[in-house]
Amino acid sequence: EMKQITKIQQRFADADTLGHINNIHLQEYFDLGKMELYGRVLGDRIDWRGVNLVLASIKTDMMRQTRLGDNIVVESWIESLGNKSMTVRQRIIDTADGLPNAECSTVVVCFDFATQRSVLFPDEWRTLITEAMGE
């Protein structure tokens, strides 16, 4: 399976007064990872006004704190592929010890904005996603 590694540049505003990264910003880090993963797997095939990927469900587990100044990356991969949806798994990894600070599971749906309905993944997308999954 192909894993996308996204280096995260923290900003001072990401942290609270104790130096902890706010959970909202952790979700933004996961979003950066998903954007890079989609770009790597599907390239410019996503039409942000036509057939697109939309968030249907997200679950995040926090294992330990992420602090301002931690050297972190987001590891992202496609775990499973259905007819109209897929599950993306992600981890925020502290590179100092290689252990996860947080894990996220996201279900995204293939969605046609013109018809406002979920649709089957286009065959070309399915092929590219399946290849990225190592199947």
Side-chain angles (χ1 to χ4, degrees), residues 1-5 33-34 36-43 45 53 75-81 86-89 121 123-135:
E1 79 192 4
M2 184 217 55
K3 291 190 178 180
Q4 174 65 40
I5 305 298
K34 280 193 282 287
E36 283 196 1
L37 178 67
Y38 300 158
R40 183 170 171 193
V41 174
L42 297 173
R45 290 167 183 87
L53 298 172
E75 184 181 61
S76 308
W77 68 98
I78 300 167
E79 182 178 64
S80 63
L81 175 64
M86 68 180 177
T87 301
V88 176
R89 295 284 309 211
F121 278 99
D123 290 340
E124 182 183 20
W125 290 25
R126 181 171 295 287
T127 299
L128 294 168
I129 292 167
T130 303
E131 288 172 3
M133 292 172 61
E135 295 181 0

Side-chain angles (χ1 to χ4, degrees), residues 1-128:
E1 79 192 4
M2 184 217 55
K3 291 190 178 180
Q4 174 65 40
I5 305 298
T6 303
K7 186 169 173 49
I8 299 299
Q9 179 185 20
Q10 295 177 346
R11 297 170 309 259
F12 183 74
D14 293 353
D16 62 20
T17 56
L18 299 175
H20 303 115
I21 300 302
N22 185 289
N23 294 341
I24 291 169
H25 295 295
L26 295 180
Q27 289 305 141
E28 291 174 350
Y29 300 166
F30 284 130
D31 285 348
L32 289 169
K34 280 193 282 287
M35 290 299 296
E36 283 196 1
L37 178 67
Y38 300 158
R40 183 170 171 193
V41 174
L42 297 173
D44 61 358
R45 290 167 183 87
I46 294 178
D47 176 358
W48 296 108
R49 288 184 223 122
V51 176
N52 194 343
L53 298 172
V54 295
L55 181 72
S57 172
I58 190 162
K59 179 183 182 292
T60 301
D61 295 314
M62 314 298 180
M63 278 75 101
R64 58 186 186 168
Q65 299 173 47
T66 301
R67 297 181 162 278
L68 189 63
D70 287 352
N71 189 10
I72 57 172
V73 297
V74 174
E75 184 181 61
S76 308
W77 68 98
I78 300 167
E79 182 178 64
S80 63
L81 175 64
N83 292 323
K84 296 181 177 183
S85 67
M86 68 180 177
T87 301
V88 176
R89 295 284 309 211
Q90 297 178 284
R91 291 191 286 230
I92 292 177
I93 304 287
D94 187 328
T95 61
D97 60 14
L99 296 175
N101 291 357
E103 294 184 350
C104 183
S105 178
T106 304
V107 176
V108 292
V109 173
C110 193
F111 192 81
D112 185 339
F113 276 87
T115 63
Q116 289 293 298
R117 297 213 160 141
S118 61
V119 295
L120 296 172
F121 278 99
D123 290 340
E124 182 183 20
W125 290 25
R126 181 171 295 287
T127 299
L128 294 168

